[in-house]
């Protein structure tokens, strides 16, 4: 296979190695979101804090992890990925050290804000860098990067639970926090952004003919359509992520042994492990599919599966085996939003400001996170999780149809529009 002439003119940089660096960093911050559910009940038992009050920390984490990404993305676009990731790794480590010593909800919330800021810096940098290095394979590259965040915590599910059980949740926060933060800071030293001529300029999917600044992007209707769909999809998945432990406890199946694939584990442990693997695998898989059949067609397929999966979980989730299988399906059909939406954003608005633009769209996750604490309140009011599940399933089905009947025609018209020509300034006579 011969390299394209445009690639040969620039100093060679292994873009797959840059992608790998980003994936490793994402793995290191994954526990900050996906490991949180294991700490909720131990903190409640230790301090007597209300469960909904503890989950406010999760909301603060997700809000700061998402809403600050555009600012962090601006720094990445201007100064490169290294310094932003370095600062992010430092904050991630510090946050879990604070959580280890937090003896009040206020201090827990401070740790959540610091951790969210740091995780957002790492997340936004790695996803933005992958979009820049792989304009020809955005779905796959964004998916592999996001896979690190989705599946990166799978290998530490059992170790974290073991440390919590034997040494207390404080030790788990401290040990894993220090280790994760240090590894991110080390990897950050090797991250670089591509220079002109170092990446190919060919893609199978429809792409914009020019680069949109963040200000231009937020003034387009298509951005807000994508934003609304992102919020709809993120809300249900975040509810399952944050409340998986409490849901299993309320279903009275958390510690019931489940045997599948020749493995026997408690239902919650089994579900958490499989969920994280599938939540990771789905991101490059559906990203790769979207590179070939189109972003919107892939959204319709995966969003529809998610809606059906959440509904089935509400109906059959109290059976331990079905709980494990259906939560796996829910996470499998949810995780791909973190590859499909950044890839679609890059295709629609260009590469130059990819980190900032994708970061602005990513704030939809923070908006969705505001809904999570209300799921506990709604469950208390209704006495079950049924209403929460039905609402989440409905949002997913609506988003699936929006992908085909709203987003697809808008994007086809948008990316085929000619590049506007700037008027020349009038010359003085």
């Amino acid at each position: 296979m011969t390299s394209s002439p445009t690639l040969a003119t620039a100093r060679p940089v292994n873009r797959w190695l840059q992608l790998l660096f980003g994936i490793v960093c994402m793995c290191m911050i994954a526990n900050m979101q996906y490991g949180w559910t294991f700490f909720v009940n131990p903190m409640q038992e230790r301090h007597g804090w209300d469960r909904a009050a503890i989950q406010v920390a999760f909301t603060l984490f997700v809000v700061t992890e998402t809403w600050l990404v555009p600012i962090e993305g601006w720094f990445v676009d201007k100064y490169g990925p290294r310094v932003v990731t370095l600062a992010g790794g430092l904050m991630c480590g510090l946050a879990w050290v604070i959580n280890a010593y937090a003896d009040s909800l206020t201090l827990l919330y401070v740790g959540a804000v610091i951790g969210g800021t740091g995780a957002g810096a790492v997340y936004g940098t790695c996803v933005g860098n992958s979009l820049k290095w792989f304009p020809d394979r955005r779905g796959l590259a964004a998916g592999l990067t996001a896979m690190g965040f989705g599946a990166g915590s799978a290998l530490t599910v059992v170790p974290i639970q073991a440390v919590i059980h034997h040494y207390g949740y404080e030790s788990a926060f401290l040990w894993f926090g220090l280790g994760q933060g240090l590894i991110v800071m080390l990897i950050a030293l090797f991250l670089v952004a591509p220079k002109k001529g170092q990446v190919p300029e060919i893609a199978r999917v429809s792409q914009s003919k020019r680069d949109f600044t963040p200000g231009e992007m937020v003034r387009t209707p298509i951005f807000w359509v994508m934003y609304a769909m992102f919020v709809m999809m993120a809300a249900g998945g975040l509810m399952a992520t944050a409340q998986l432990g409490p849901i299993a406890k309320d279903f009275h199946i958390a510690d019931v042994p489940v045997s599948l694939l020749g493995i026997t584990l408690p239902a919650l442990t089994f579900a958490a492990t499989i969920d994280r693997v599938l939540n990771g695998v789905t991101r490059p898989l559906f990203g790769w599919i979207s590179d070939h059949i189109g972003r919107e067609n892939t959204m319709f397929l995966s969003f529809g599966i998610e809606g059906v999966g959440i509904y089935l979980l509400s109906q059959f989730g109290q059976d331990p085996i079905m709980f494990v299988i259906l939560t796996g399906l829910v996470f499998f059909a949810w995780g791909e939003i973190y590859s499909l939406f950044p890839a679609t954003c890059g295709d629609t608005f260009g590469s130059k400001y990819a980190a900032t633009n994708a970061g602005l769209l990513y704030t939809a996750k923070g908006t969705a996170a505001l809904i999570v604490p209300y799921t506990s309140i709604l469950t208390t009011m209704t006495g079950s999780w049924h209403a929460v599940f039905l609402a989440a399933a409905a949002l997913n089905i609506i988003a699936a149809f929006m992908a085909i009947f709203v987003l697809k025609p808008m994007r086809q018209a948008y990316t085929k529009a000619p590049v506007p020509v700037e008027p020349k300034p009038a010359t003085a006579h």
Side-chain angles (χ1 to χ4, degrees), residues 132-177:
K132 292 181 179 183
W133 275 109
F134 290 87
D136 55 326
R137 300 179 180 181
R138 280 201 178 106
L140 176 63
L144 286 169
T145 305
M147 178 185 71
F149 193 66
S153 61
L155 295 177
T156 53
V157 167
V158 173
I160 282 182
Q161 287 185 310
V163 172
I164 291 174
H165 179 73
H166 293 291
Y167 302 99
Y169 79 86
E170 298 92 340
S171 295
F173 270 138
L174 180 64
W175 299 350
F176 283 91

Side-chain angles (χ1 to χ4, degrees), residues 34 237 240-241 244 275 278-279 282 306 327-335:
Y34 295 101
T241 300
L244 186 64
D275 293 350
L278 293 177
N279 189 28
T282 185
E306 171 77 352
T327 55
L329 179 64
V330 166
F331 274 77
F332 177 74
W334 176 65

Side-chain angles (χ1 to χ4, degrees), residues 100-347:
Y101 293 98
D103 54 3
S104 68
L105 285 169
T106 301
L107 196 54
L108 188 69
Y109 297 161
V110 170
V113 170
I114 293 174
T117 305
V122 177
Y123 191 107
T125 301
C126 295
V127 171
N129 217 34
S130 73
L131 295 177
K132 292 181 179 183
W133 275 109
F134 290 87
D136 55 326
R137 300 179 180 181
R138 280 201 178 106
L140 176 63
L144 286 169
T145 305
M147 178 185 71
F149 193 66
S153 61
L155 295 177
T156 53
V157 167
V158 173
I160 282 182
Q161 287 185 310
V163 172
I164 291 174
H165 179 73
H166 293 291
Y167 302 99
Y169 79 86
E170 298 92 340
S171 295
F173 270 138
L174 180 64
W175 299 350
F176 283 91
L178 289 174
Q180 292 162 181
L182 287 171
I183 292 174
V184 170
M185 293 176 71
L186 177 64
I187 295 292
L189 301 175
F190 300 96
L191 289 174
V192 294
K195 293 181 174 62
K196 186 174 177 60
Q198 289 183 322
V199 296
E201 299 175 359
I202 310 168
R204 293 185 180 92
V205 297
S206 177
Q207 294 187 345
S208 173
K209 297 180 177 66
R210 73 179 184 96
D211 296 307
F212 287 74
T213 66
E216 290 173 324
M217 181 184 73
V218 298
R219 291 195 294 270
T220 63
I222 193 170
F223 170 77
W224 294 107
V225 169
M226 291 165 60
Y227 196 93
M229 291 171 60
F230 203 149
V231 171
M232 292 179 192
M233 288 301 303
L238 286 174
M239 178 274 294
T241 300
Q243 306 282 32
L244 186 64
I247 289 171
K249 184 178 180 181
D250 291 346
F251 282 178
H252 307 293
I253 59 169
D255 298 318
V256 176
V258 171
S259 297
L260 284 172
L261 306 173
I263 303 171
T264 301
L265 288 170
L268 177 58
T269 304
F270 210 144
T273 304
I274 288 181
D275 293 350
R276 281 148 182 75
V277 172
L278 293 177
N279 189 28
V281 169
T282 185
R283 301 179 185 208
L285 174 61
F286 278 109
W288 175 81
I289 291 172
S290 76
D291 284 338
H292 291 78
I293 71 169
R295 313 293 184 212
E296 298 87 356
N297 294 340
T298 309
M299 287 178 178
F300 178 76
L301 174 66
S302 57
F303 296 179
I305 294 172
E306 171 77 352
V308 172
I310 291 177
Y311 176 75
L312 292 176
L313 183 62
S314 73
Q315 299 297 309
F316 306 108
Q318 297 192 37
D319 176 87
I321 295 178
M322 293 303 294
F323 178 82
V324 172
I325 294 172
L326 290 173
T327 55
L329 179 64
V330 166
F331 274 77
F332 177 74
W334 176 65
E336 87 292 326
I337 64 175
Y338 300 108
S339 58
L340 296 184
F341 281 110
T344 307
C345 184
D347 291 343

Side-chain angles (χ1 to χ4, degrees), residues 49-118:
W49 298 332
D50 181 68
R51 183 190 289 175
I54 293 172
Q55 292 293 25
V56 169
F58 181 82
T59 299
L60 287 172
F61 167 80
V62 176
V63 166
T64 50
E65 188 239 347
T66 53
W67 286 358
L68 295 179
V69 168
I71 299 172
E72 294 153 350
W74 179 86
F75 278 100
V76 174
D77 288 335
K78 189 170 181 64
Y79 299 109
R82 186 173 301 154
V83 64
V84 181
T85 308
L86 196 63
L90 177 63
M91 285 187 281
C92 288
L94 177 62
W96 269 29
V97 172
I98 291 173
N99 288 350
Y101 293 98
D103 54 3
S104 68
L105 285 169
T106 301
L107 196 54
L108 188 69
Y109 297 161
V110 170
V113 170
I114 293 174
T117 305

